[in-house]
Amino acid sequence: MKKIIFLVAFLATTITSMAQFSNGSFLLTEGQYGSSSGGLFWLDPETGSLGSSVSQEVNGAGYGETAQFATIYGDKLYVTSKQAGSYGGGLLTVADAATAKNIYIFSSLSDDGHNYDGRAFCGVTESKGYMGTSNGIFVIDLENNQVVKLIEGSDCGYGIGEAIDGGYYQYDVYYHQIGSMVRVGDCVFASKQNEGILVIDIATDEIIYTISAEEFGGSFGELIQSKDGMLWTTACSTENYIYEHTPELNKLVMIDPHTCEAIEIPTEHKVSVSWATWRHGMMQACEHSNKILWKDVCYFDWMMYEQVGAPQILYYDIETGEEGVFVDLTTINPDYSIYAGFSIDPETDNVYVPVASNSGYGPWFLLVFDPQGTLIGDPISIPIGDWSDYPSMTLFTDDYTPEFTLDDKYILDVNDKIEFNLADIVFDKDNTQNGIIVEILNVENPEIATAEIADNKLTLWMKGQGLTTITLKALSNGKSTTKNITLSESGTTGIESVGMFNSQLFYRNGSLNVINSAGSYVTIYNTSGNQLYKHQINSNNFPMPLNLSPGIYIATVNGNTLKIAIQ
């Protein structure tokens, strides 16, 4: 269970302005449209309850009207709202992630007199972010809190009041709006209603390709990245943009982000597609298993004032092709319906689901399920009143920076190379593996050695005699770390050369045997990713007794990994 650390005492559930939020989660709420703004509530891991509005206690105000999306990127909290409103909030609010204290409020993003509805925010680099709206994507300077520009081609492209297909207009918020955005490598993929997936070069902020949705019905919906690196989206007809009146036409689509090839994945269960209010999606990916979850076709029909469809969350196992029901809310309470988007904690794979009871107006509860779909604890009551009505999404604190698992030094013969899968050399305890971006900052002596990152692999080459230092950088959710690696030629040190393809690890009778690794370091980790110890190998047949308590451990040397089970 996550814990919260406070710098000052608090009474009951009152949040003070000096609170430090970590190792826990928030609930973002919309507020009452027209009468109150959105709010942010801390989920106390000790009591399992939601206290008073953090945003109101800390800032004296909530966010904009219908706060619908929030994310933590770097050390900042970014909250987007449909409209700035008149209650102290903005279209985009920037706050300190540790205290929730507001730093800057964007009341508008455009300079043409129109306040486009806010949608999602995507951190791109340490100094740049993208803000999606009902009319395009705006580039945001994160260091100076300034709007840089509107990305050309991401907006509607029509004049004010000019009729377009279907009788909609440029500023209709449900026709060409921007949805989910995901960074993959040097590009950001952004869903654009009734067009497809925009592929944006983050170096130039230009659209370099559009993955068309035409053959899949005309419009993509949610956009996520699964554990194996593939992108997943939902698809529907252009007419089915708010409610799912024709769910039999909806599709599940997988996209290879490297080739931009999109293919339909047949499913037995219906796929939910929504381009209505929320930009936090109805489909999410697990981090510790290669599964995706989505909400079954289910919505509250305000005209008929009744729930349509089954309040279920479905799953699809990408590796096995198995699909089924992750959780059926009617088994918990027949009056429950899924409200807004659900969230998956990347550290635990626990699933947080906001629900409404009786009608779509509440009261509301937050349900937490383990990765197997079992309810954890009792339903958590969501306060009713100003700043708390209508839940939007659950947001998790970001408490760790990325960590490299590479050794400090590698020894090679001239013209030899070592190759590592990026997923094996860096990790972040509370963020997705695919979200980590690794780059080469510097090679001190490129005539001695070179380095390259391609196809999700790092390759180090020994070109000549001597030694050099290679500096790597890992960026994960706006937080970065660097790693210096010394690469030397075997004749320089007198130690026999090693390479990851020759090194071997064996565990027998309480001893770890390290083969063909003289001069390298063997490292032992527990399953939480904590390094227990590191030892340099002084021969090519090195027995290493392990005095460890029963459990599962990971040993690595020169990119090779061995899972050790000690009874």
Side-chain angles (χ1 to χ4, degrees):
M1 182 67 72
K2 293 185 173 181
K3 298 181 179 179
I4 177 173
I5 300 174
F6 285 101
L7 294 184
V8 295
F10 65 93
L11 178 63
T13 57
T14 299
I15 308 295
T16 75
S17 61
M18 294 298 292
Q20 296 284 311
F21 300 103
S22 63
N23 297 295
S25 55
F26 295 99
L27 178 72
L28 179 70
T29 60
E30 295 181 16
Q32 282 276 10
Y33 182 77
S35 62
S36 68
S37 57
L40 190 69
F41 295 79
W42 178 252
L43 178 58
D44 188 339
E46 300 299 334
T47 64
S49 62
L50 291 161
S52 57
S53 170
V54 172
S55 51
Q56 179 68 16
E57 293 284 347
V58 174
N59 301 298
Y63 302 112
E65 291 193 30
T66 315
Q68 58 177 354
F69 180 86
T71 186
I72 290 175
Y73 188 74
D75 59 357
K76 302 296 191 300
L77 166 67
Y78 297 88
V79 181
T80 71
S81 302
K82 286 176 63 178
Q83 298 174 7
S86 56
Y87 303 96
L91 198 67
L92 172 63
T93 300
V94 184
D96 186 297
T99 65
K101 182 69 174 176
N102 287 353
I103 296 173
Y104 192 84
I105 295 175
F106 291 85
S107 59
S108 176
L109 299 178
S110 66
D111 56 5
D112 61 2
H114 293 273
N115 290 321
Y116 308 118
D117 280 10
R119 291 297 181 255
F121 176 87
C122 176
V124 179
T125 68
E126 289 173 289
S127 60
K128 179 167 64 178
Y130 289 165
M131 171 72 177
T133 72
S134 57
N135 189 36
I137 301 171
F138 290 84
V139 181
I140 307 295
D141 179 344
L142 304 185
E143 295 179 339
N144 300 300
N145 291 314
Q146 294 179 347
V147 177
V148 178
K149 66 175 182 177
L150 172 70
I151 294 180
E152 184 178 357
S154 66
D155 59 340
C156 297
Y158 294 89
I160 299 175
E162 182 181 347
I164 56 177
D165 296 343
Y168 294 93
Y169 296 87
Q170 175 183 4
Y171 301 110
D172 190 292
V173 296
Y174 298 129
Y175 195 76
H176 279 298
Q177 60 185 316
I178 298 298
S180 308
M181 294 181 283
V182 179
R183 177 179 172 179
V184 183
D186 295 327
C187 294
V188 165
F189 292 73
S191 181
K192 185 177 182 182
Q193 187 181 18
N194 293 330
E195 288 194 26
I197 306 296
L198 309 180
V199 184
I200 304 168
D201 184 333
I202 64 172
T204 62
D205 301 320
E206 295 178 349
I207 298 171
I208 58 176
Y209 188 72
T210 298
I211 304 170
S212 175
E214 183 176 0
E215 67 175 287
F216 302 100
S219 187
F220 288 135
E222 315 300 347
L223 182 65
I224 61 172
Q225 187 175 30
S226 56
K227 181 178 174 63
D228 60 4
M230 293 294 104
L231 294 175
W232 295 79
T233 185
T234 52
C236 66
S237 65
T238 54
E239 292 79 16
N240 191 21
Y241 63 97
I242 298 181
Y243 296 127
E244 292 132 342
H245 296 155
T246 55
E248 66 276 2
L249 301 179
N250 296 348
K251 300 176 177 66
L252 179 66
V253 178
M254 181 181 71
I255 299 173
D256 185 330
H258 304 291
T259 64
C260 292
E261 179 186 9
I263 60 172
E264 179 184 353
I265 304 298
T267 61
E268 297 178 7
H269 296 83
K270 296 176 182 178
V271 179
S272 177
V273 181
S274 175
W275 270 104
T277 302
W278 305 282
R279 271 309 349 118
H280 184 65
M282 304 294 182
M283 180 170 66
Q284 301 294 330
C286 299
E287 172 61 16
H288 300 282
S289 64
N290 201 20
K291 295 179 181 179
I292 57 174
L293 307 180
W294 69 83
K295 183 179 79 70
D296 199 354
V297 174
C298 177
Y299 60 92
F300 191 82
D301 191 321
W302 300 100
M303 300 298 294
M304 300 300 297
Y305 206 76
E306 64 182 11
Q307 180 171 278
V308 178
Q312 300 180 142
I313 293 179
L314 308 172
Y315 75 89
Y316 177 76
D317 189 313
I318 299 169
E319 294 181 358
T320 66
E322 178 186 4
E323 61 177 287
V325 177
F326 174 76
V327 64
D328 182 349
L329 294 186
T330 61
T331 63
I332 300 171
N333 186 322
D335 291 330
Y336 281 170
S337 60
I338 299 174
Y339 193 91
F342 63 93
S343 305
I344 300 179
D345 185 346
E347 189 173 358
T348 64
D349 267 359
N350 289 341
V351 182
Y352 290 65
V353 185
V355 301
S357 60
N358 299 318
S359 69
Y361 288 106
W364 298 276
F365 298 90
L366 180 64
L367 308 183
V368 183
F369 299 92
D370 69 16
Q372 288 72 47
T374 301
L375 181 66
I376 300 175
D378 296 324
I380 301 168
S381 178
I382 298 175
I384 297 178
D386 288 347
W387 307 289
S388 62
D389 289 334
Y390 300 100
S392 295
M393 61 172 288
T394 307
L395 171 69
F396 308 100
T397 58
D398 186 359
D399 304 300
Y400 299 95
T401 57
E403 298 180 46
F404 281 102
T405 61
L406 289 164
D407 291 336
D408 296 328
K409 184 176 183 179
Y410 293 92
I411 306 166
L412 296 172
D413 286 331
V414 175
N415 296 322
D416 276 358
K417 66 179 180 180
I418 303 178
E419 189 176 74
F420 304 92
N421 290 319
L422 294 182
D424 296 333
I425 65 172
V426 64
F427 68 95
D428 187 334
K429 293 180 183 179
D430 59 358
N431 277 298
T432 61
Q433 184 70 38
N434 287 315
I436 303 175
I437 306 298
V438 180
E439 61 177 312
I440 300 165
L441 289 184
N442 184 57
V443 178
E444 187 179 34
N445 297 303
E447 69 279 1
I448 295 176
T450 60
E452 180 186 72
I453 294 176
D455 300 325
N456 292 318
K457 293 181 180 180
L458 167 68
T459 303
L460 307 178
W461 282 281
M462 200 69 208
K463 296 296 186 181
Q465 293 185 342
L467 58 86
T468 187
T469 299
I470 297 171
T471 303
L472 304 175
K473 177 183 177 180
L475 176 66
S476 177
N477 198 43
K479 295 182 177 181
S480 63
T481 189
T482 58
K483 173 73 176 181
N484 289 325
I485 302 171
T486 299
L487 199 62
S488 62
E489 183 263 332
S490 58
T492 305
T493 62
I495 300 176
E496 184 178 349
S497 66
V498 298
M500 69 171 291
F501 300 109
N502 297 321
S503 299
Q504 299 179 57
L505 292 166
F506 302 97
Y507 179 73
R508 296 189 185 93
N509 301 321
S511 179
L512 176 66
N513 295 277
V514 188
I515 309 298
N516 294 332
S517 300
S520 297
Y521 288 84
V522 62
T523 309
I524 308 295
Y525 300 91
N526 60 21
T527 53
S528 297
N530 298 317
Q531 179 178 311
L532 302 182
Y533 54 85
K534 190 173 186 178
H535 189 84
Q536 187 170 26
I537 307 304
N538 57 25
S539 73
N540 279 324
N541 190 355
F542 186 82
M544 183 177 175
L546 296 181
N547 184 19
L548 295 170
S549 57
I552 303 297
Y553 301 91
I554 305 296
T556 66
V557 63
N558 293 326
N560 285 304
T561 301
L562 176 67
K563 182 178 179 180
I564 302 171
I566 297 180
Q567 305 297 325

